[in-house]
Amino acid sequence: MKKRILSCIQPTGDMHLGNYFGAVKNWVDLQADYECFYGVVDYHAMTMPYDPKKLKNNVWDLIFNLIGVGVDVENLFIQSLVPEHAELSWIFNCFTPFGRLGQMTQFKDKSSQSSEKSEGFISAGLFTYPILQAADILIYNADFVPVGKDQEQHLELTRTVAQRFNNQVKKEYFTIPECLFTETPKIMSTADPSRKMSKSAGEKHYISVFADEARLRKQIRSAVTDSGDTLEGEMSAGVKNLFEILRACGADEAYAEMMKNHESGELRYAEFKDVVADAVVGLCAEFKARKEEALANKKDIKYKIKQSSAEIRKTAQQTIKDVKELAGLGNVKF
C-alpha cells in the first residue's frame, strides 16, 4: 500500500511563483508515489479578520488554480466540507500543552500583524489554530507531511498531541507523522530580492502563475539585478533569484548556458531576463490552458470537488468514531 501524504493550503487569493515552486509543485510530483489528501483550509483563513464573500470566492479560485497546475481533482477536499476536523480539534484542545501554543513563532508574527491592522483584535482561533492543524493531519493518519523548515515547529506539536493521546488512551492509535523535506527553491521578490515573494508586500513583489504573457515579461524585465552592494564577480541577490527561477522552471540547458556566461563575465542582463521570461511564460502557458479547460466545466468540477470531499470525509468519520470511543465519548449505555 502507498504511504499517505497530507498537505493543506489557505485560500488567500492568487497563486504566485513562490507558492507554486515552494509547495504546490511538490503536491503534483508526489501524486505518483503516494496516496495524497490535499486540503483547502478555509477554517484556517478565519483566524485573521476577513470578508466572508471574498473567502468563499477565494476557496473556489484556489481549487481551479490547483487543478490548473496539475493537482488531481480526486485528491482535493475543502476543509469545511469535512466538519470532523473541527470536532477532532476540540478533543485535541484537551491534549495540548497550553504553554506550547504561546511559543509558536507564527502566532507571535501574525498576532503582531493583526494588532497593527485591526485595533488590537487578536482572535482565540489564531492562538489555537495549530491544534486544528494537528487535527487536519492526524484525522487522516498521514504518514508524511511535506513541509518547509519554517513549518517544522507545527509538525512537532502535532507529534506531541498524537503521542499524548496515544499514551492517555493506552493505545498506539495515531500514526506519528514524519516530516517530508522536499527540495524547494526559495523564490524571492523580483522587486526586492532581500525578501520572499509574497502577495502581502504588494503587486510588484509577486509574479502570478496565471498572469498574461505581457505582464509576466514586464515583471521579469523590470527585476532588480545589481543593487550596488556586491563585490566584483560576486553574484548579486537579484541575479541569483533569476537563476533560481530559471532552474525551477526546468530550463536546464538555458540555466547552464547563462551560468557559463556569468562565470566568464559575459552575462548580459537584458538577454538573461528574456531567457528567464521565456521559461516562465512557457511554464505558465500550460497552467493557464489547463485552468481554462477546468473553468469551461465549472459546474462539473465543483460537483467533483464535493464528491472528492465526501469520499475523503469517510476516512475522517471513521477516525472520529474511533477517537470518541477511545476517549470515552458517545455511545453511552443506560
Side-chain angles (χ1 to χ4, degrees):
M1 292 181 65
K2 289 183 177 181
K3 294 288 187 179
R4 184 173 291 171
I5 291 275
L6 184 284
S7 194
C8 297
I9 186 170
Q10 285 197 44
T12 54
D14 205 1
M15 183 185 296
H16 57 70
L17 290 180
N19 301 139
Y20 174 69
F21 290 124
V24 180
K25 184 178 185 296
N26 279 328
W27 284 22
V28 177
D29 295 342
L30 291 168
Q31 291 176 130
D33 299 316
Y34 296 90
E35 180 186 19
C36 298
F37 290 172
Y38 295 140
V40 174
V41 286
D42 43 353
Y43 283 154
H44 285 288
M46 298 171 68
T47 59
M48 301 286 277
Y50 73 99
D51 178 282
K53 185 176 180 180
K54 188 175 180 181
L55 172 59
K56 187 175 182 180
N57 290 336
N58 282 348
V59 167
W60 286 111
D61 284 346
L62 180 55
I63 289 289
F64 283 99
N65 286 345
L66 291 170
I67 293 170
V69 299
V71 177
D72 295 335
V73 174
E74 60 268 23
N75 294 336
L76 287 167
F77 70 93
I78 297 173
Q79 186 186 33
S80 60
L81 294 181
V82 188
E84 288 75 17
H85 284 245
E87 186 172 4
L88 185 59
S89 179
W90 168 253
I91 294 171
F92 282 169
N93 267 276
C94 305
F95 289 85
T96 303
F98 178 84
R100 287 286 294 277
L101 294 177
Q103 297 169 4
M104 305 304 284
T105 304
Q106 288 191 29
F107 170 72
K108 294 176 182 177
D109 294 343
K110 287 193 173 184
S111 60
S112 115
Q113 292 172 27
S114 184
S115 181
E116 292 170 5
K117 294 180 181 178
S118 53
E119 301 178 354
F121 174 77
I122 300 171
S123 75
L126 184 60
F127 186 68
T128 61
Y129 89 93
I131 303 174
L132 177 58
Q133 195 170 54
D136 296 336
I137 298 166
L138 296 173
I139 203 164
Y140 300 110
N141 267 306
D143 297 289
F144 298 108
V145 182
V147 295
K149 281 290 184 182
D150 60 335
Q151 295 175 310
E152 189 175 7
Q153 187 186 39
H154 285 277
L155 191 57
E156 280 306 310
L157 180 66
T158 298
R159 291 163 61 84
T160 296
V161 172
Q163 289 166 339
R164 188 173 182 84
F165 181 90
N166 288 350
N167 290 340
Q168 191 158 325
V169 303
K170 297 179 174 56
K171 181 180 175 66
E172 293 299 309
Y173 177 72
F174 282 115
T175 300
I176 308 301
E178 298 289 338
C179 295
L180 184 66
F181 292 119
T182 47
E183 187 177 346
T184 55
K186 189 175 183 180
I187 306 300
M188 311 302 283
S189 162
T190 51
D192 179 2
S194 68
R195 62 198 300 177
K196 280 182 70 174
M197 186 172 286
S198 169
K199 294 189 290 290
S200 62
E203 286 191 7
K204 69 178 183 178
H205 290 282
Y206 73 91
I207 298 175
S208 171
V209 170
F210 297 99
D212 60 62
E213 179 176 343
R215 180 166 178 77
L216 290 172
R217 291 189 181 280
K218 181 180 179 181
Q219 287 187 277
I220 297 294
R221 284 175 185 146
S222 62
V224 171
T225 48
D226 283 339
S227 54
D229 58 355
T230 52
L231 300 173
E232 187 176 348
E234 183 179 299
M235 186 179 291
S236 69
V239 172
K240 182 180 180 181
N241 189 42
L242 290 175
F243 268 111
E244 197 68 64
I245 291 171
L246 184 60
R247 180 165 57 180
C249 286
D252 296 337
E253 289 186 15
Y255 177 88
E257 183 181 349
M258 292 296 106
M259 186 59 74
K260 183 179 179 181
N261 289 346
H262 170 74
E263 290 169 351
S264 65
E266 298 176 354
L267 184 68
R268 292 181 294 175
Y269 290 149
E271 178 189 3
F272 178 42
K273 288 179 179 181
D274 283 342
V275 170
V276 176
D278 287 344
V280 171
V281 167
L283 181 71
C284 293
E286 178 187 341
F287 298 158
K288 283 187 283 187
R290 194 184 292 124
K291 181 180 178 180
E292 286 169 9
E293 183 181 349
L295 285 170
N297 298 285
K298 184 181 289 188
K299 188 175 181 179
D300 182 53
I301 293 293
K302 285 189 172 185
Y303 177 73
K304 286 181 177 178
I305 291 296
K306 289 175 181 177
Q307 277 189 315
S308 63
S309 297
E311 189 61 33
I312 288 170
R313 186 185 178 190
K314 292 176 183 177
T315 300
Q317 288 173 319
Q318 184 60 53
T319 300
I320 284 292
K321 181 180 177 182
D322 294 342
V323 165
K324 289 172 80 170
E325 184 175 341
L326 289 167
L329 300 168
N331 299 316
V332 178
K333 294 181 180 180
F334 293 95

